[in-house]
Amino acid sequence: MKPEEKIIDYFTVLKSREIIGSSYIFIGGQFLIINRLIKLINCAENSQFCNQCWSCKRVDDGHHPDLLVVEPDPINIKFNQIREAIRFLSRRSFYSPKKILIIKDAQKLTDQAANLFLKTLEESPKNSFIGLVCSKLEDILPTIISRCRKIYLPYSKVKLAKSKEKIKSILRSGYFGPGKRKDFSLFLESLIILLHNQLKNDAGYNNNHEADSLTLDLNFKEAVIALEDLFKVYNAAGTVNINLALNLIKMRLRCN
Ligand SMILES: [Zn+2]
């Protein structure tokens, strides 16, 4: 399965549980995926999206009344654009479960615009979905980052880099050994895949045979939170204190 399919899958699971969050940063800038997510969020179809319903068609033709996409004009995203976007979010939605605001090239928000936006991110209007899209997280103000859930395109291999038994024994021991950063990344990658599979199994999407999970003793919400934390650690795997991170993960996953 391609990485983007995993992301779509992940959101399909969130949608089925009605626990899609209100603010996300998508790192990687692949707008095609965002377009599919936009459809998924408001499609009448229960699982993914149908490409047939009124909402999906309006997304495709670029005239959805409950969707606003903000882009740099032309160099940066200005105060007035964000003020307009906040107004858009505060209005009632016309036809859809959620009002969707997408900010492309979010690293190009002026400081003024970003500061204006902070309060909206903190207390986003009910039934809204805000997606900031950027190529690199480092270019975004930390105050913005801290208010959003982060979605990376983290891995391309479905094949586990480490065996399930090896992963379990590392988790139980809480010790990774010194100077093995690349190995640690591979370990995290495998763990993300396993946890993701567990989420799919729990939600009844275990329709493929590659699905292999750790059968951890976590409820769905805990597993979602753990997965987001794993993404964070994975993204910082180049600098993080490995054994400290490992013990945090161990705690999150309740592995003893
Ligand atoms: Zn649809």
Side-chain angles (χ1 to χ4, degrees):
M1 196 190 276
K2 289 180 181 170
E4 54 262 42
E5 300 305 325
K6 288 176 193 288
I7 303 277
I8 296 293
D9 237 52
Y10 172 63
F11 273 92
T12 305
V13 171
L14 297 183
K15 179 184 174 183
S16 72
R17 299 277 171 133
E18 297 180 8
I19 53 169
I20 295 181
S22 57
S23 319
Y24 289 85
I25 293 186
F26 296 92
I27 303 111
Q30 298 196 28
F31 200 73
L32 276 180
I33 303 174
I34 307 298
N35 213 46
R36 294 174 67 193
L37 280 178
I38 291 168
K39 283 190 196 171
L40 186 151
I41 289 166
N42 276 337
C43 177
E45 193 74 24
N46 251 338
S47 52
Q48 281 206 0
F49 55 89
C50 66
N51 279 328
Q52 306 289 328
C53 69
W54 180 88
S55 179
C56 284
K57 284 183 177 161
R58 294 294 82 75
V59 174
D60 278 337
D61 67 24
H63 291 101
H64 199 305
D66 296 315
L67 166 66
L68 177 67
V69 179
V70 175
E71 294 179 78
D73 175 31
I75 297 160
N76 47 29
I77 299 171
K78 300 181 175 71
F79 187 84
N80 284 346
Q81 289 175 275
I82 291 304
R83 195 169 54 191
E84 194 47 52
I86 292 170
R87 268 194 213 129
F88 161 80
L89 283 181
S90 68
R91 290 195 287 264
R92 276 236 308 273
S93 81
F94 283 86
Y95 306 100
S96 320
K98 284 181 191 286
K99 286 192 87 93
I100 301 179
L101 169 66
I102 300 294
I103 300 185
K104 281 189 187 178
D105 290 324
Q107 70 274 13
K108 295 189 175 158
L109 281 163
T110 64
D111 285 355
Q112 275 177 314
N115 284 324
L116 177 64
F117 200 41
L118 282 178
K119 199 162 166 51
T120 302
L121 279 176
E122 206 155 64
E123 300 160 22
S124 47
K126 218 171 134 231
N127 299 329
S128 60
F129 178 91
I130 301 169
L132 294 103
V133 188
C134 66
S135 46
K136 277 196 318 224
L137 202 54
E138 298 89 84
D139 301 330
I140 308 277
L141 280 180
T143 41
I144 295 260
I145 297 172
S146 65
R147 287 165 172 80
C148 297
R149 303 186 195 193
K150 291 133 211 106
I151 301 290
Y152 302 89
L153 292 178
Y155 46 82
S156 54
K157 288 165 284 183
V158 167
K159 199 172 168 293
L160 294 183
K162 293 204 172 288
S163 79
K164 211 162 83 172
E165 281 61 43
K166 180 81 184 155
I167 288 168
K168 275 189 169 167
S169 92
I170 292 172
L171 275 175
R172 269 195 300 267
S173 74
Y175 179 70
F176 202 83
K180 291 179 179 169
R181 226 165 253 291
K182 190 159 174 275
D183 251 22
F184 186 59
S185 271
L186 291 173
F187 161 77
L188 290 171
E189 203 170 279
S190 300
L191 199 52
I192 286 170
I193 294 171
L194 288 169
L195 189 58
H196 185 260
N197 284 340
Q198 172 160 352
L199 280 168
K200 283 201 293 181
N201 289 344
D202 290 353
Y205 287 99
N206 54 345
N207 48 4
N208 58 45
H209 294 292
E210 79 202 12
D212 196 2
S213 81
L214 277 177
T215 56
L216 295 161
D217 190 20
L218 297 175
N219 67 33
F220 189 83
K221 208 162 185 178
E222 289 170 332
V224 169
I225 292 168
L227 187 60
E228 286 186 358
D229 282 354
L230 273 174
F231 281 144
K232 279 183 211 161
V233 176
Y234 181 83
N235 194 50
T239 52
V240 83
N241 177 324
I242 290 177
N243 286 310
L244 199 63
L246 182 61
N247 278 288
L248 283 172
I249 292 167
K250 188 180 164 180
M251 219 164 64
R252 262 280 184 257
L253 298 180
R254 298 223 206 105
C255 266
N256 290 303

PDB file of all heavy atoms in Angstrom, residues 106-139:
ATOM      1  N   ALA A 106       1.583  27.048   3.887  1.00  0.00           N
ATOM      2  CA  ALA A 106       1.352  27.735   5.159  1.00  0.00           C
ATOM      3  C   ALA A 106       2.618  28.412   5.697  1.00  0.00           C
ATOM      4  O   ALA A 106       2.542  29.307   6.537  1.00  0.00           O
ATOM      5  CB  ALA A 106       0.809  26.752   6.185  1.00  0.00           C
ATOM      6  N   GLN A 107       3.780  28.003   5.191  1.00  0.00           N
ATOM      7  CA  GLN A 107       5.016  28.663   5.626  1.00  0.00           C
ATOM      8  C   GLN A 107       5.059  30.101   5.127  1.00  0.00           C
ATOM      9  O   GLN A 107       5.885  30.892   5.569  1.00  0.00           O
ATOM     10  CB  GLN A 107       6.253  27.878   5.156  1.00  0.00           C
ATOM     11  CG  GLN A 107       6.540  27.910   3.665  1.00  0.00           C
ATOM     12  CD  GLN A 107       5.768  26.827   2.901  1.00  0.00           C
ATOM     13  OE1 GLN A 107       4.852  26.201   3.430  1.00  0.00           O
ATOM     14  NE2 GLN A 107       6.122  26.621   1.641  1.00  0.00           N
ATOM     15  N   LYS A 108       4.164  30.462   4.235  1.00  0.00           N
ATOM     16  CA  LYS A 108       4.166  31.817   3.684  1.00  0.00           C
ATOM     17  C   LYS A 108       3.177  32.751   4.375  1.00  0.00           C
ATOM     18  O   LYS A 108       2.928  33.862   3.903  1.00  0.00           O
ATOM     19  CB  LYS A 108       3.900  31.762   2.178  1.00  0.00           C
ATOM     20  CG  LYS A 108       5.042  31.040   1.474  1.00  0.00           C
ATOM     21  CD  LYS A 108       4.973  31.118  -0.007  1.00  0.00           C
ATOM     22  CE  LYS A 108       6.236  30.463  -0.587  1.00  0.00           C
ATOM     23  NZ  LYS A 108       6.052  30.027  -1.961  1.00  0.00           N
ATOM     24  N   LEU A 109       2.621  32.306   5.489  1.00  0.00           N
ATOM     25  CA  LEU A 109       1.802  33.199   6.306  1.00  0.00           C
ATOM     26  C   LEU A 109       2.693  34.322   6.827  1.00  0.00           C
ATOM     27  O   LEU A 109       3.777  34.059   7.347  1.00  0.00           O
ATOM     28  CB  LEU A 109       1.233  32.452   7.513  1.00  0.00           C
ATOM     29  CG  LEU A 109       0.009  31.556   7.312  1.00  0.00           C
ATOM     30  CD1 LEU A 109      -0.142  30.612   8.492  1.00  0.00           C
ATOM     31  CD2 LEU A 109      -1.251  32.394   7.138  1.00  0.00           C
ATOM     32  N   THR A 110       2.278  35.577   6.683  1.00  0.00           N
ATOM     33  CA  THR A 110       3.042  36.659   7.322  1.00  0.00           C
ATOM     34  C   THR A 110       2.869  36.506   8.832  1.00  0.00           C
ATOM     35  O   THR A 110       1.923  35.849   9.295  1.00  0.00           O
ATOM     36  CB  THR A 110       2.514  38.042   6.902  1.00  0.00           C
ATOM     37  OG1 THR A 110       1.169  38.160   7.379  1.00  0.00           O
ATOM     38  CG2 THR A 110       2.550  38.227   5.391  1.00  0.00           C
ATOM     39  N   ASP A 111       3.762  37.101   9.609  1.00  0.00           N
ATOM     40  CA  ASP A 111       3.649  36.998  11.063  1.00  0.00           C
ATOM     41  C   ASP A 111       2.311  37.542  11.552  1.00  0.00           C
ATOM     42  O   ASP A 111       1.669  36.963  12.431  1.00  0.00           O
ATOM     43  CB  ASP A 111       4.800  37.747  11.746  1.00  0.00           C
ATOM     44  CG  ASP A 111       6.101  36.953  11.638  1.00  0.00           C
ATOM     45  OD1 ASP A 111       6.046  35.810  11.123  1.00  0.00           O
ATOM     46  OD2 ASP A 111       7.149  37.470  12.049  1.00  0.00           O
ATOM     47  N   GLN A 112       1.901  38.643  10.959  1.00  0.00           N
ATOM     48  CA  GLN A 112       0.613  39.243  11.339  1.00  0.00           C
ATOM     49  C   GLN A 112      -0.530  38.276  11.083  1.00  0.00           C
ATOM     50  O   GLN A 112      -1.417  38.093  11.921  1.00  0.00           O
ATOM     51  CB  GLN A 112       0.341  40.486  10.488  1.00  0.00           C
ATOM     52  CG  GLN A 112       0.949  41.761  10.993  1.00  0.00           C
ATOM     53  CD  GLN A 112       0.643  42.862   9.986  1.00  0.00           C
ATOM     54  OE1 GLN A 112       0.800  42.667   8.782  1.00  0.00           O
ATOM     55  NE2 GLN A 112       0.203  44.005  10.485  1.00  0.00           N
ATOM     56  N   ALA A 113      -0.502  37.670   9.902  1.00  0.00           N
ATOM     57  CA  ALA A 113      -1.567  36.739   9.531  1.00  0.00           C
ATOM     58  C   ALA A 113      -1.556  35.526  10.459  1.00  0.00           C
ATOM     59  O   ALA A 113      -2.597  35.075  10.932  1.00  0.00           O
ATOM     60  CB  ALA A 113      -1.404  36.300   8.078  1.00  0.00           C
ATOM     61  N   ALA A 114      -0.352  35.026  10.739  1.00  0.00           N
ATOM     62  CA  ALA A 114      -0.227  33.854  11.612  1.00  0.00           C
ATOM     63  C   ALA A 114      -0.757  34.168  13.004  1.00  0.00           C
ATOM     64  O   ALA A 114      -1.484  33.369  13.607  1.00  0.00           O
ATOM     65  CB  ALA A 114       1.226  33.401  11.682  1.00  0.00           C
ATOM     66  N   ASN A 115      -0.414  35.350  13.504  1.00  0.00           N
ATOM     67  CA  ASN A 115      -0.866  35.715  14.851  1.00  0.00           C
ATOM     68  C   ASN A 115      -2.378  35.868  14.918  1.00  0.00           C
ATOM     69  O   ASN A 115      -3.009  35.501  15.907  1.00  0.00           O
ATOM     70  CB  ASN A 115      -0.164  36.991  15.313  1.00  0.00           C
ATOM     71  CG  ASN A 115       1.271  36.697  15.728  1.00  0.00           C
ATOM     72  OD1 ASN A 115       1.554  35.638  16.298  1.00  0.00           O
ATOM     73  ND2 ASN A 115       2.187  37.602  15.419  1.00  0.00           N
ATOM     74  N   LEU A 116      -2.939  36.421  13.858  1.00  0.00           N
ATOM     75  CA  LEU A 116      -4.395  36.554  13.810  1.00  0.00           C
ATOM     76  C   LEU A 116      -5.061  35.183  13.835  1.00  0.00           C
ATOM     77  O   LEU A 116      -6.126  34.993  14.420  1.00  0.00           O
ATOM     78  CB  LEU A 116      -4.794  37.298  12.520  1.00  0.00           C
ATOM     79  CG  LEU A 116      -6.297  37.465  12.267  1.00  0.00           C
ATOM     80  CD1 LEU A 116      -6.921  38.335  13.357  1.00  0.00           C
ATOM     81  CD2 LEU A 116      -6.554  38.070  10.901  1.00  0.00           C
ATOM     82  N   PHE A 117      -4.400  34.223  13.224  1.00  0.00           N
ATOM     83  CA  PHE A 117      -4.974  32.895  13.053  1.00  0.00           C
ATOM     84  C   PHE A 117      -4.905  32.051  14.329  1.00  0.00           C
ATOM     85  O   PHE A 117      -5.665  31.098  14.491  1.00  0.00           O
ATOM     86  CB  PHE A 117      -4.236  32.190  11.909  1.00  0.00           C
ATOM     87  CG  PHE A 117      -4.996  31.050  11.310  1.00  0.00           C
ATOM     88  CD1 PHE A 117      -6.356  31.143  11.083  1.00  0.00           C
ATOM     89  CD2 PHE A 117      -4.350  29.886  10.955  1.00  0.00           C
ATOM     90  CE1 PHE A 117      -7.062  30.096  10.522  1.00  0.00           C
ATOM     91  CE2 PHE A 117      -5.052  28.829  10.399  1.00  0.00           C
ATOM     92  CZ  PHE A 117      -6.406  28.937  10.184  1.00  0.00           C
ATOM     93  N   LEU A 118      -3.982  32.411  15.234  1.00  0.00           N
ATOM     94  CA  LEU A 118      -3.738  31.570  16.413  1.00  0.00           C
ATOM     95  C   LEU A 118      -4.997  31.279  17.221  1.00  0.00           C
ATOM     96  O   LEU A 118      -5.258  30.153  17.613  1.00  0.00           O
ATOM     97  CB  LEU A 118      -2.695  32.231  17.325  1.00  0.00           C
ATOM     98  CG  LEU A 118      -1.246  32.102  16.871  1.00  0.00           C
ATOM     99  CD1 LEU A 118      -0.332  32.831  17.838  1.00  0.00           C
ATOM    100  CD2 LEU A 118      -0.856  30.635  16.771  1.00  0.00           C
ATOM    101  N   LYS A 119      -5.777  32.332  17.457  1.00  0.00           N
ATOM    102  CA  LYS A 119      -6.962  32.173  18.299  1.00  0.00           C
ATOM    103  C   LYS A 119      -7.977  31.212  17.645  1.00  0.00           C
ATOM    104  O   LYS A 119      -8.603  30.407  18.339  1.00  0.00           O
ATOM    105  CB  LYS A 119      -7.600  33.526  18.567  1.00  0.00           C
ATOM    106  CG  LYS A 119      -8.523  33.490  19.758  1.00  0.00           C
ATOM    107  CD  LYS A 119      -8.822  34.864  20.290  1.00  0.00           C
ATOM    108  CE  LYS A 119     -10.011  34.815  21.243  1.00  0.00           C
ATOM    109  NZ  LYS A 119      -9.888  33.794  22.289  1.00  0.00           N
ATOM    110  N   THR A 120      -8.077  31.314  16.330  1.00  0.00           N
ATOM    111  CA  THR A 120      -8.987  30.423  15.605  1.00  0.00           C
ATOM    112  C   THR A 120      -8.532  28.975  15.727  1.00  0.00           C
ATOM    113  O   THR A 120      -9.326  28.061  15.884  1.00  0.00           O
ATOM    114  CB  THR A 120      -9.058  30.830  14.119  1.00  0.00           C
ATOM    115  OG1 THR A 120      -9.481  32.181  14.056  1.00  0.00           O
ATOM    116  CG2 THR A 120     -10.026  29.964  13.356  1.00  0.00           C
ATOM    117  N   LEU A 121      -7.224  28.782  15.666  1.00  0.00           N
ATOM    118  CA  LEU A 121      -6.699  27.422  15.800  1.00  0.00           C
ATOM    119  C   LEU A 121      -6.961  26.874  17.201  1.00  0.00           C
ATOM    120  O   LEU A 121      -7.223  25.699  17.390  1.00  0.00           O
ATOM    121  CB  LEU A 121      -5.193  27.413  15.535  1.00  0.00           C
ATOM    122  CG  LEU A 121      -4.752  27.412  14.074  1.00  0.00           C
ATOM    123  CD1 LEU A 121      -3.244  27.497  13.997  1.00  0.00           C
ATOM    124  CD2 LEU A 121      -5.246  26.167  13.357  1.00  0.00           C
ATOM    125  N   GLU A 122      -6.873  27.778  18.172  1.00  0.00           N
ATOM    126  CA  GLU A 122      -7.046  27.360  19.555  1.00  0.00           C
ATOM    127  C   GLU A 122      -8.501  27.001  19.840  1.00  0.00           C
ATOM    128  O   GLU A 122      -8.792  26.001  20.481  1.00  0.00           O
ATOM    129  CB  GLU A 122      -6.607  28.492  20.471  1.00  0.00           C
ATOM    130  CG  GLU A 122      -6.160  28.030  21.824  1.00  0.00           C
ATOM    131  CD  GLU A 122      -5.204  29.030  22.415  1.00  0.00           C
ATOM    132  OE1 GLU A 122      -5.648  30.162  22.664  1.00  0.00           O
ATOM    133  OE2 GLU A 122      -4.018  28.690  22.590  1.00  0.00           O
ATOM    134  N   GLU A 123      -9.391  27.844  19.373  1.00  0.00           N
ATOM    135  CA  GLU A 123     -10.821  27.593  19.606  1.00  0.00           C
ATOM    136  C   GLU A 123     -11.510  27.572  18.258  1.00  0.00           C
ATOM    137  O   GLU A 123     -12.278  28.473  17.931  1.00  0.00           O
ATOM    138  CB  GLU A 123     -11.413  28.711  20.466  1.00  0.00           C
ATOM    139  CG  GLU A 123     -10.771  28.855  21.814  1.00  0.00           C
ATOM    140  CD  GLU A 123     -11.030  30.231  22.431  1.00  0.00           C
ATOM    141  OE1 GLU A 123     -12.001  30.895  22.033  1.00  0.00           O
ATOM    142  OE2 GLU A 123     -10.232  30.623  23.286  1.00  0.00           O
ATOM    143  N   SER A 124     -11.230  26.534  17.491  1.00  0.00           N
ATOM    144  CA  SER A 124     -11.799  26.516  16.146  1.00  0.00           C
ATOM    145  C   SER A 124     -13.309  26.328  16.230  1.00  0.00           C
ATOM    146  O   SER A 124     -13.805  25.602  17.092  1.00  0.00           O
ATOM    147  CB  SER A 124     -11.163  25.422  15.314  1.00  0.00           C
ATOM    148  OG  SER A 124     -11.130  24.235  16.051  1.00  0.00           O
ATOM    149  N   PRO A 125     -14.044  27.016  15.353  1.00  0.00           N
ATOM    150  CA  PRO A 125     -15.497  26.916  15.372  1.00  0.00           C
ATOM    151  C   PRO A 125     -15.947  25.470  15.251  1.00  0.00           C
ATOM    152  O   PRO A 125     -15.269  24.651  14.625  1.00  0.00           O
ATOM    153  CB  PRO A 125     -15.920  27.719  14.136  1.00  0.00           C
ATOM    154  CG  PRO A 125     -14.779  28.602  13.830  1.00  0.00           C
ATOM    155  CD  PRO A 125     -13.545  27.886  14.285  1.00  0.00           C
ATOM    156  N   LYS A 126     -17.073  25.192  15.845  1.00  0.00           N
ATOM    157  CA  LYS A 126     -17.622  23.841  15.834  1.00  0.00           C
ATOM    158  C   LYS A 126     -17.744  23.329  14.390  1.00  0.00           C
ATOM    159  O   LYS A 126     -18.065  24.093  13.494  1.00  0.00           O
ATOM    160  CB  LYS A 126     -19.006  23.857  16.486  1.00  0.00           C
ATOM    161  CG  LYS A 126     -19.285  22.640  17.319  1.00  0.00           C
ATOM    162  CD  LYS A 126     -20.584  22.851  18.101  1.00  0.00           C
ATOM    163  CE  LYS A 126     -21.434  21.602  17.984  1.00  0.00           C
ATOM    164  NZ  LYS A 126     -22.791  21.852  17.576  1.00  0.00           N
ATOM    165  N   ASN A 127     -17.517  22.057  14.197  1.00  0.00           N
ATOM    166  CA  ASN A 127     -17.666  21.444  12.877  1.00  0.00           C
ATOM    167  C   ASN A 127     -16.794  22.065  11.800  1.00  0.00           C
ATOM    168  O   ASN A 127     -17.219  22.229  10.663  1.00  0.00           O
ATOM    169  CB  ASN A 127     -19.125  21.463  12.416  1.00  0.00           C
ATOM    170  CG  ASN A 127     -20.000  20.694  13.366  1.00  0.00           C
ATOM    171  OD1 ASN A 127     -19.548  19.730  13.988  1.00  0.00           O
ATOM    172  ND2 ASN A 127     -21.234  21.121  13.515  1.00  0.00           N
ATOM    173  N   SER A 128     -15.602  22.466  12.198  1.00  0.00           N
ATOM    174  CA  SER A 128     -14.694  22.959  11.164  1.00  0.00           C
ATOM    175  C   SER A 128     -13.483  22.033  11.057  1.00  0.00           C
ATOM    176  O   SER A 128     -13.129  21.330  12.003  1.00  0.00           O
ATOM    177  CB  SER A 128     -14.254  24.393  11.469  1.00  0.00           C
ATOM    178  OG  SER A 128     -13.601  24.452  12.707  1.00  0.00           O
ATOM    179  N   PHE A 129     -12.900  22.049   9.897  1.00  0.00           N
ATOM    180  CA  PHE A 129     -11.670  21.302   9.669  1.00  0.00           C
ATOM    181  C   PHE A 129     -10.671  22.266   9.040  1.00  0.00           C
ATOM    182  O   PHE A 129     -10.932  22.843   7.985  1.00  0.00           O
ATOM    183  CB  PHE A 129     -11.918  20.120   8.722  1.00  0.00           C
ATOM    184  CG  PHE A 129     -10.660  19.345   8.405  1.00  0.00           C
ATOM    185  CD1 PHE A 129     -10.283  18.266   9.191  1.00  0.00           C
ATOM    186  CD2 PHE A 129      -9.862  19.704   7.325  1.00  0.00           C
ATOM    187  CE1 PHE A 129      -9.121  17.549   8.905  1.00  0.00           C
ATOM    188  CE2 PHE A 129      -8.693  18.994   7.040  1.00  0.00           C
ATOM    189  CZ  PHE A 129      -8.329  17.919   7.828  1.00  0.00           C
ATOM    190  N   ILE A 130      -9.546  22.454   9.734  1.00  0.00           N
ATOM    191  CA  ILE A 130      -8.517  23.355   9.221  1.00  0.00           C
ATOM    192  C   ILE A 130      -7.291  22.531   8.860  1.00  0.00           C
ATOM    193  O   ILE A 130      -6.765  21.786   9.691  1.00  0.00           O
ATOM    194  CB  ILE A 130      -8.132  24.413  10.281  1.00  0.00           C
ATOM    195  CG1 ILE A 130      -9.366  25.234  10.676  1.00  0.00           C
ATOM    196  CG2 ILE A 130      -7.025  25.323   9.761  1.00  0.00           C
ATOM    197  CD1 ILE A 130      -9.150  26.125  11.888  1.00  0.00           C
ATOM    198  N   GLY A 131      -6.859  22.642   7.621  1.00  0.00           N
ATOM    199  CA  GLY A 131      -5.662  21.926   7.199  1.00  0.00           C
ATOM    200  C   GLY A 131      -4.618  22.888   6.670  1.00  0.00           C
ATOM    201  O   GLY A 131      -4.863  23.623   5.716  1.00  0.00           O
ATOM    202  N   LEU A 132      -3.466  22.931   7.341  1.00  0.00           N
ATOM    203  CA  LEU A 132      -2.360  23.733   6.824  1.00  0.00           C
ATOM    204  C   LEU A 132      -1.431  22.793   6.070  1.00  0.00           C
ATOM    205  O   LEU A 132      -1.117  21.712   6.566  1.00  0.00           O
ATOM    206  CB  LEU A 132      -1.604  24.417   7.958  1.00  0.00           C
ATOM    207  CG  LEU A 132      -2.400  25.465   8.725  1.00  0.00           C
ATOM    208  CD1 LEU A 132      -2.866  24.941  10.048  1.00  0.00           C
ATOM    209  CD2 LEU A 132      -1.575  26.711   8.923  1.00  0.00           C
ATOM    210  N   VAL A 133      -1.015  23.208   4.904  1.00  0.00           N
ATOM    211  CA  VAL A 133      -0.157  22.359   4.091  1.00  0.00           C
ATOM    212  C   VAL A 133       1.190  23.050   3.921  1.00  0.00           C
ATOM    213  O   VAL A 133       1.244  24.243   3.586  1.00  0.00           O
ATOM    214  CB  VAL A 133      -0.779  22.117   2.699  1.00  0.00           C
ATOM    215  CG1 VAL A 133       0.024  21.084   1.923  1.00  0.00           C
ATOM    216  CG2 VAL A 133      -2.227  21.670   2.833  1.00  0.00           C
ATOM    217  N   CYS A 134       2.261  22.335   4.203  1.00  0.00           N
ATOM    218  CA  CYS A 134       3.582  22.953   4.046  1.00  0.00           C
ATOM    219  C   CYS A 134       4.585  21.895   3.612  1.00  0.00           C
ATOM    220  O   CYS A 134       4.326  20.690   3.721  1.00  0.00           O
ATOM    221  CB  CYS A 134       4.034  23.605   5.351  1.00  0.00           C
ATOM    222  SG  CYS A 134       4.324  22.433   6.672  1.00  0.00           S
ATOM    223  N   SER A 135       5.723  22.336   3.114  1.00  0.00           N
ATOM    224  CA  SER A 135       6.718  21.371   2.695  1.00  0.00           C
ATOM    225  C   SER A 135       7.638  20.981   3.853  1.00  0.00           C
ATOM    226  O   SER A 135       8.067  19.840   3.954  1.00  0.00           O
ATOM    227  CB  SER A 135       7.531  21.912   1.525  1.00  0.00           C
ATOM    228  OG  SER A 135       7.910  23.227   1.776  1.00  0.00           O
ATOM    229  N   LYS A 136       7.930  21.952   4.719  1.00  0.00           N
ATOM    230  CA  LYS A 136       8.811  21.660   5.859  1.00  0.00           C
ATOM    231  C   LYS A 136       8.238  22.281   7.121  1.00  0.00           C
ATOM    232  O   LYS A 136       7.846  23.440   7.119  1.00  0.00           O
ATOM    233  CB  LYS A 136      10.208  22.235   5.606  1.00  0.00           C
ATOM    234  CG  LYS A 136      11.102  21.352   4.761  1.00  0.00           C
ATOM    235  CD  LYS A 136      12.566  21.807   4.897  1.00  0.00           C
ATOM    236  CE  LYS A 136      12.691  23.278   4.880  1.00  0.00           C
ATOM    237  NZ  LYS A 136      13.684  23.930   4.132  1.00  0.00           N
ATOM    238  N   LEU A 137       8.255  21.523   8.190  1.00  0.00           N
ATOM    239  CA  LEU A 137       7.694  22.007   9.436  1.00  0.00           C
ATOM    240  C   LEU A 137       8.506  23.160  10.031  1.00  0.00           C
ATOM    241  O   LEU A 137       7.965  24.057  10.674  1.00  0.00           O
ATOM    242  CB  LEU A 137       7.636  20.844  10.438  1.00  0.00           C
ATOM    243  CG  LEU A 137       6.656  20.967  11.592  1.00  0.00           C
ATOM    244  CD1 LEU A 137       5.254  21.258  11.092  1.00  0.00           C
ATOM    245  CD2 LEU A 137       6.659  19.721  12.429  1.00  0.00           C
ATOM    246  N   GLU A 138       9.803  23.152   9.760  1.00  0.00           N
ATOM    247  CA  GLU A 138      10.683  24.157  10.379  1.00  0.00           C
ATOM    248  C   GLU A 138      10.291  25.585   9.995  1.00  0.00           C
ATOM    249  O   GLU A 138      10.618  26.532  10.685  1.00  0.00           O
ATOM    250  CB  GLU A 138      12.154  23.959   9.966  1.00  0.00           C
ATOM    251  CG  GLU A 138      12.772  22.645  10.371  1.00  0.00           C
ATOM    252  CD  GLU A 138      12.549  21.583   9.303  1.00  0.00           C
ATOM    253  OE1 GLU A 138      13.337  21.538   8.353  1.00  0.00           O
ATOM    254  OE2 GLU A 138      11.583  20.810   9.417  1.00  0.00           O
ATOM    255  N   ASP A 139       9.611  25.730   8.870  1.00  0.00           N
ATOM    256  CA  ASP A 139       9.289  27.078   8.403  1.00  0.00           C
ATOM    257  C   ASP A 139       8.013  27.637   9.025  1.00  0.00           C
ATOM    258  O   ASP A 139       7.604  28.744   8.739  1.00  0.00           O
ATOM    259  CB  ASP A 139       9.132  27.065   6.873  1.00  0.00           C
ATOM    260  CG  ASP A 139      10.400  26.579   6.194  1.00  0.00           C
ATOM    261  OD1 ASP A 139      11.487  26.796   6.765  1.00  0.00           O
ATOM    262  OD2 ASP A 139      10.309  25.980   5.113  1.00  0.00           O
TER     263      ASP A 139
END
